[in-house]
Amino acid sequence: MDVDLAPVLGSDQTPAPCTLSKMLLPSLSALLLAGIPAVNAAIAYKGVDWSSLLVEERAGMSFRDVNGNTKPLERILVENGVNTVRQRVWVNPSNGEYNMDYNIQLARRAKAVGLGVYIDFHYSDTWADPGKQGIPSGWPTDIDNLSWKLYNYTLESCNKFQDAGIQPTIISIGNEITPGLLWPTGRTNNWGNIARLLRSAAWGIKDSRLSPRPKIMVHLDNGWNWSTQNNWYTNVLKQGTFESSDFDIMGVSFYPFYSEAASLSALKTSLTNMANNWGKEIQVVETNWPVQCPNPKYQFPADVRSIPFSEAGQAQYVTKVADVVRSVNRGNGLFYWEPAWLNNAALGSSCPENTMFAWGGRARSSVSVFQRI
């Protein structure tokens, strides 16, 4: 149940104690006695991954708000409640897309409109995900030199952001690293190597000149699968090299169209267990929902099948995921993956359209959901 605080909050969102006591205490008491949370706090990090914006703009794409007014994408996002943008960083991409220069240019635009920046280091020259985690070209492969290279690359990259006037609020040390990172050295057949690599990456951030220091995230896929999360963190942390104090946030991907088991209820169980076991901040950092999906490759989970494939359905789905995040102790972030990548609208799924902008660049009504979560 939500309690509307608008009547008792000033423009600075500070509650007037006298007014609160008169208007809310009776209802709060009743709610607490009933075992119902009194207030669903807003999600602290309400974000999108906008990594492909410059790629789209170079292809001639522009963006419009729901009323058809042409605006920079960052303005549309801010007007609709987004407060943080996620950006992937590749090391030596063949065409320069998503490298450090690309990301600094993008992050400067975010900062200019007051958006926080969340950097997602892939530690690869291309996509890093559960199917591939390739070592960048020219990097060593033995664990000693690779760990040193990773530390220095992370340190230097963070210093470049600082020198450019960019202070990321979050940095992820790897992307969907459930099967490890920097293959073959960091595969899960050697948890000790994974722990050493993560320690090097984390301390590259901590030893950098970034000020204030960003929060450090570990990001795995299949956030709904508690067995996967438990197995991974148990094995990495028991090495004694990469410690719980080395990072702040556990981030997960959650896509309901890759497995019937990827339910909201399973997500809630998994995230709750993660929070209770390790006490970290919890975020869903990749998710999306289709506006059409005529031939899904997999059956959708039972508890999302009532959600329509539409703009309204996108908003309903994001709200439900946000409710799960809010229900978890220290759950505080939700990021929609690439809502404006119109030249790749399927976003890797069997559903042809998952973006929050229609072809041509006009915002769908669903983008305003960030104002309400």
Side-chain angles (χ1 to χ4, degrees):
M1 180 182 295
D2 292 328
V3 176
D4 184 7
L5 295 181
V8 295
L9 295 180
S11 59
D12 62 352
Q13 295 295 290
T14 302
C18 178
T19 307
L20 274 175
S21 64
K22 291 179 179 177
M23 297 182 64
L24 295 182
L25 287 181
S27 57
L28 288 175
S29 299
L31 289 169
L32 292 172
L33 287 171
I36 301 171
V39 179
N40 279 348
I43 298 290
Y45 298 92
K46 300 185 290 185
V48 303
D49 190 312
W50 74 334
S51 297
S52 296
L53 173 60
L54 300 184
V55 175
E56 291 291 81
E57 289 180 341
R58 291 167 185 172
M61 191 67 67
S62 60
F63 295 91
R64 293 172 289 153
D65 64 20
V66 291
N67 298 314
N69 302 308
T70 300
K71 297 177 181 178
L73 179 60
E74 57 267 36
R75 291 286 180 189
I76 299 172
L77 295 176
V78 168
E79 289 169 2
N80 284 280
V82 171
N83 63 20
T84 307
V85 286
R86 182 176 188 255
Q87 303 180 188
R88 61 180 165 271
V89 178
W90 293 352
V91 179
N92 299 302
S94 58
N95 57 7
E97 293 175 353
Y98 314 119
N99 67 8
M100 278 297 297
D101 289 341
Y102 178 104
N103 272 278
I104 287 172
Q105 181 181 350
L106 195 56
R108 280 176 168 156
R109 287 176 56 174
K111 183 175 180 179
V113 296
L115 286 165
V117 176
Y118 155 17
I119 293 299
D120 178 25
F121 283 126
H122 279 226
Y123 296 132
S124 183
D125 293 335
T126 184
W127 295 103
D129 55 43
K132 46 194 175 294
Q133 295 278 344
I135 291 178
S137 59
W139 283 29
T141 57
D142 66 285
I143 186 59
D144 291 334
N145 287 303
L146 182 59
S147 296
W148 183 239
K149 179 67 177 179
L150 179 59
Y151 169 84
N152 282 294
Y153 168 79
T154 305
L155 176 77
E156 292 164 5
S157 297
C158 290
N159 287 341
K160 286 180 181 178
F161 280 120
Q162 178 67 31
D163 291 343
I166 304 299
Q167 294 81 30
T169 54
I170 300 171
I171 295 182
S172 176
I173 48 176
N175 184 76
E176 294 187 329
I177 59 172
T178 315
L181 72 165
L182 295 162
W183 291 352
T185 312
R187 284 186 179 271
T188 51
N189 60 1
N190 193 324
W191 292 103
N193 281 357
I194 294 174
R196 285 188 63 182
L197 292 169
L198 292 175
R199 171 87 170 178
S200 294
W203 280 92
I205 298 168
K206 293 183 180 187
D207 287 344
S208 75
R209 289 185 279 103
L210 277 175
S211 181
R213 182 182 294 173
K215 293 183 178 181
I216 297 173
M217 175 188 289
V218 173
H219 170 209
L220 307 184
D221 72 320
N222 288 341
W224 56 271
N225 191 325
W226 164 237
S227 177
T228 295
Q229 307 297 315
N230 186 38
N231 177 71
W232 195 94
Y233 282 106
T234 299
N235 278 295
V236 167
L237 292 174
K238 76 179 182 182
Q239 304 303 313
T241 309
F242 182 62
E243 300 175 343
S244 180
S245 59
D246 289 331
F247 70 109
D248 309 288
I249 303 171
M250 291 177 167
V252 302
S253 298
F254 175 65
Y255 294 110
F257 34 65
Y258 293 132
S259 172
E260 189 175 0
S263 64
L264 290 168
S265 60
L267 178 67
K268 181 173 182 176
T269 296
S270 180
L271 297 187
T272 299
N273 289 343
M274 290 165 68
N276 291 342
N277 275 31
W278 295 292
K280 297 297 180 181
E281 296 176 36
I282 302 292
Q283 299 185 8
V284 172
V285 299
E286 290 189 25
T287 195
N288 52 56
W289 186 262
V291 293
Q292 57 169 311
C293 195
N295 298 295
K297 185 175 181 180
Y298 305 99
Q299 174 77 281
F300 276 69
D303 61 7
V304 299
R305 288 177 202 161
S306 64
I307 303 174
F309 300 142
S310 64
E311 296 181 27
Q314 285 183 323
Q316 184 180 343
Y317 170 77
V318 170
T319 300
K320 286 181 177 292
V321 176
D323 286 344
V324 170
V325 172
R326 271 196 298 265
S327 75
V328 175
N329 182 33
R330 304 195 74 194
N332 65 2
L334 185 153
F335 291 81
Y336 196 98
W337 196 70
E338 289 275 19
W341 196 2
L342 302 184
N343 282 293
N344 184 30
L347 301 180
S349 79
S350 60
C351 304
E353 280 194 84
N354 294 276
T355 57
M356 286 182 160
F357 290 78
W359 181 255
R362 187 166 183 158
R364 294 186 161 118
S365 61
S366 51
V367 76
S368 67
V369 71
F370 296 99
Q371 297 174 337
R372 303 185 295 276
I373 62 173

